[in-house]
Amino acid sequence: MTVAIQIVPGVTYYPGWLPVEGQRQLLQKLEEILVAAPLFQPTMPRTGKPFSVQMSNCGSLGWVSDRQGGYRYQATHPQTGAPWPEMPKILQTAWTDLAHYAPGPQACLINYYKDTARMGLHQDRDEADFDAPVLSLSLGDTGLFRIGGQERSDKTKSLKLQSGDVLVFGGPARLAFHGIDRIMPGTSTLLPNGGRINLTLRRVDAPPA
Ligand code: MD6
Ligand code: FE
């Protein structure tokens, strides 16, 4: 049984959508993906300041960022130049079952948080299709997620994202500010070295007219 909880209009939370056995299988796939497409440390446009989160991608496109090129999607890994590995089937299934958007996901961003990593409040706006939601799946230690409105100063709500949880982010909330204040070390035994993985599935290209 899938429990769906509306956090704010446009944001639906599916606690424990992926059971532990599925989490283990997905983690195993991700470990293979990260051999082919190693984690890299993105840097901020202009300042070149490194993110505290390490990243990689799977799917036909991947999100990258560096001082020179800024935020963007590209078909290849910024260091190896190789195409991104294929997206695991279970992620495509999550999209089919929960996103309610017929075109499939093009990009899956893999965020890896060590104990002290965090992600500042931001909007996801590097995609050309804001009609499509973003679907996020969390693995490993709990992350304290914060979501506000379309203005950075809007009031926010906090939510603990645990291993196996899915969040679908669309409609009136597609451009809401959100971030990860901190992770809670020791809250999961899924990742052998601890930490948290968050996967976000996106449509990137504009829908056909
Ligand atoms: C994270 N998530 O959970 C960061 N973005 O680590 C995101 O930035 C995010 O969870 C768009 C939609 C859902 C998300
Ligand atoms: Fe985001």
Side-chain angles (χ1 to χ4, degrees), residues 52-53 113-121 141-146 158-162 179-185 187 195-196:
S52 62
V53 177
Y113 297 74
K114 289 199 171 131
D115 286 2
T116 57
R118 50 186 298 282
M119 188 173 301
L121 275 188
D141 286 336
T142 299
L144 186 59
F145 183 82
R146 180 196 291 268
S158 291
L159 178 69
K160 285 179 184 166
L161 293 179
Q162 294 184 291
I180 292 286
D181 289 340
R182 61 191 168 86
I183 73 160
M184 300 168 150
T187 44
R196 171 175 185 265

Side-chain angles (χ1 to χ4, degrees), residues 33-91:
I33 285 170
L34 293 177
V35 171
L39 289 168
F40 59 91
Q41 190 117 49
T43 53
M44 297 288 287
R46 296 185 301 277
T47 63
K49 186 175 180 287
F51 284 62
S52 62
V53 177
Q54 293 177 281
M55 298 182 182
S56 188
N57 293 272
C58 54
S60 54
L61 290 169
W63 188 89
V64 301
S65 176
D66 52 42
R67 185 201 287 255
Q68 299 78 20
Y71 302 150
R72 64 195 184 276
Y73 284 93
Q74 62 182 42
T76 55
H77 190 284
Q79 287 159 356
T80 69
W84 301 108
E86 220 174 280
M87 209 182 289
K89 274 228 175 60
I90 184 69
L91 298 179

